[in-house]
Amino acid sequence: MKDNPPLPVVIVAGLHADARTQVVEQLLHSVPGSVALHHNLATAADGTVQRTIRDAAGELSRDNAPLVNDCACCALREDLVPELERLAASGLTRLAVVELWDSVEPKAMAEVVTAHGDGVSLSNVITAVDPALVLPYLANGDDLSEAGLAAASTDERTVGDTFARQLEYAPVLALIDNPDADEEDRALVAQLHPTASRVPAIDCEQLVQLAFSTGFDVDTAAAAQHPACALLPQESEEAGVSTLVWRRQRPFHPERLYRALEDLCCAAVRSRGRFWLADRLESLLAWDAAGGALCVEYAGPWLASLPDAAWELVPPMRRAAAALDWHPVHGDCCQHLVFTSPGLDRDGLERLLESCLLTDEEYAAGPQAWRQLPAAFDSLLDPAS
């Protein structure tokens, strides 16, 4: 195996199964000697995950892998790397296309292949997208289990937040041609992930070029999604779709923000970013909402709360993000939230957000007084308390 050059591996992900299949077939027919691996997690209820390997002519093999810890995704991780290594060792495969099952997120699989694959090289990650389905999928707050798409019995993700992460992680979005898609649909895709390469799924030459990219950096991709240094979209307005970037350097009043959560997370089809609560001054909090469902999590300390010596241990992207938000008094502590949606009520949303900040009088009282404000977020951030 060591005598062979690394086997290029491209991951194709996405909840839009028909779009995903179209992209995979395009690659198989455009690259002689390519094969596609697919693990069907729908068979997990029977205690196995079904693996198929195919090329442009059809199916080459079909086998079952047992569940690991009652988790279909764990079985996928345990089975995928050995299969890729076997293909690499044969020296007969020019490109391995990993077609992920519907709700499997590419981040975890990209990191597994990069960390454990011997003789393979992850060249790129592509999410296949049907533009006409982006809005209905993002707006879908159903649990994956209700849709028959859960990857484990403990899977609590929703359709909307899963699709959002699939779309926003991949540096390449392959768009199929659906006559039902309009300018609003295409504007929504562009604003949700403005830095992605958006490629028509029928563009064989460009797809192949991206599949043989020089390499995919999982650390950079993870940092781009981490709330502390996310490459969040910029202000935009096109075809009835708006992106509002709201940045302030005054903390939220925890109780007023908590009361406004339902209205805020329903104000846009997608919102994300980082925020600052007056009673948790050192805590950088992550905001992640899709389909009317909101996830609020602790994402580490603000850099302003760390000793200078600790900065050397912080990744460069994190330091760069902090520098952009830096305030002479509060450091990088800030509100940086981004809302994207068709028909966004910008003025109403800004008024609601502003009403959740500390008033001038509350702000003037200072940090000691802020810490005494009602700890309204304890139930979300400290559920065990």
Side-chain angles (χ1 to χ4, degrees):
M1 177 165 62
K2 293 181 180 179
D3 294 332
N4 298 326
L7 171 65
V9 177
V10 61
I11 291 175
V12 180
L15 273 166
H16 299 165
D18 290 343
R20 194 182 65 235
T21 300
Q22 183 174 327
V23 171
V24 172
E25 291 300 321
Q26 190 76 275
L27 286 170
L28 292 179
H29 285 85
S30 302
V31 181
S34 60
V35 300
L37 298 87
H38 177 63
H39 289 77
N40 184 357
L41 274 59
T43 60
D46 299 325
T48 61
V49 169
Q50 188 179 82
R51 180 218 317 128
T52 56
I53 299 178
R54 68 185 192 277
D55 62 11
E59 189 174 296
L60 298 173
S61 67
R62 179 186 296 260
D63 206 349
N64 292 324
L67 293 191
V68 176
N69 300 323
D70 196 32
C71 171
C73 265
C74 300
L76 191 166
R77 287 194 292 269
E78 293 290 325
D79 190 69
L80 175 62
V81 170
E83 285 300 310
L84 289 174
E85 291 177 338
R86 182 183 63 78
L87 291 171
S90 73
L92 302 175
T93 302
R94 186 177 170 210
L95 174 70
V97 182
V98 176
E99 180 189 356
L100 298 182
W101 188 68
D102 301 39
S103 68
V104 177
E105 296 183 27
K107 179 177 184 293
M109 293 304 111
E111 291 173 352
V112 166
V113 171
T114 300
H116 303 293
D118 185 14
V120 303
S121 174
L122 180 61
S123 55
N124 223 324
V125 175
I126 300 172
T127 292
V129 178
D130 182 338
L133 296 180
V134 170
L135 182 58
Y137 271 63
L138 274 181
N140 190 338
D142 291 346
D143 291 339
L144 290 175
S145 57
E146 296 174 12
L149 296 171
S153 58
T154 56
D155 196 339
E156 296 181 347
R157 295 174 298 157
T158 69
V159 173
D161 64 42
T162 301
F163 178 66
R165 285 189 294 272
Q166 290 178 336
L167 187 144
E168 293 157 8
Y169 180 79
V172 180
L173 303 179
L175 310 180
I176 68 166
D177 183 18
N178 186 335
D180 293 333
D182 56 21
E183 290 304 311
E184 180 182 280
D185 297 321
R186 285 182 277 272
L188 180 58
V189 174
Q191 291 184 37
L192 287 168
H193 195 353
T195 62
S197 298
R198 295 184 296 278
V199 183
I202 59 172
D203 189 336
C204 305
E205 184 177 347
Q206 196 168 0
L207 271 182
V208 171
Q209 183 179 359
L210 290 165
F212 283 98
S213 181
T214 54
F216 182 83
D217 189 327
V218 293
D219 293 331
T220 300
Q225 277 201 310
H226 191 282
C229 48
L231 298 177
L232 297 171
Q234 301 299 306
E235 286 274 348
S236 188
E237 184 86 42
E238 182 185 358
V241 179
S242 300
T243 293
L244 169 68
V245 179
W246 190 77
R247 303 172 79 155
R248 296 293 185 273
Q249 288 173 312
R250 179 177 294 199
F252 279 126
H253 186 288
E255 197 169 46
R256 288 200 295 274
L257 178 63
Y258 188 83
R259 288 200 299 264
L261 287 183
E262 183 174 355
D263 289 337
L264 287 172
C265 72
C266 294
V269 69
R270 178 71 172 135
S271 57
R272 50 191 153 139
R274 48 190 176 268
F275 69 103
W276 185 32
L277 287 177
D279 65 325
R280 292 174 178 257
L281 295 178
E282 292 79 24
S283 299
L284 189 157
L285 301 174
W287 177 289
D288 193 289
L294 171 67
C295 177
V296 171
E297 292 182 319
Y298 173 69
W302 296 103
L303 292 195
S305 68
L306 297 178
D308 291 346
W311 281 54
E312 296 302 319
L313 305 176
V314 175
M317 283 186 71
R318 176 74 175 90
R319 295 198 298 269
L324 290 174
D325 289 329
W326 201 260
H327 182 275
V329 176
H330 305 306
D332 59 329
C333 303
C334 69
Q335 320 297 353
H336 188 169
L337 299 174
V338 176
F339 298 80
T340 299
S341 189
L344 190 71
D345 179 5
R346 284 174 167 267
D347 293 340
L349 179 54
E350 287 197 80
R351 284 194 300 271
L352 181 56
L353 287 164
E354 297 285 350
S355 73
C356 297
L357 294 172
L358 295 184
T359 64
D360 290 344
E361 182 179 354
E362 290 165 341
Y363 183 75
Q368 291 306 314
W370 303 348
R371 295 182 190 276
Q372 306 308 312
L373 292 171
F377 277 74
D378 282 2
S379 60
L380 293 178
L381 296 169
D382 307 311
S385 61

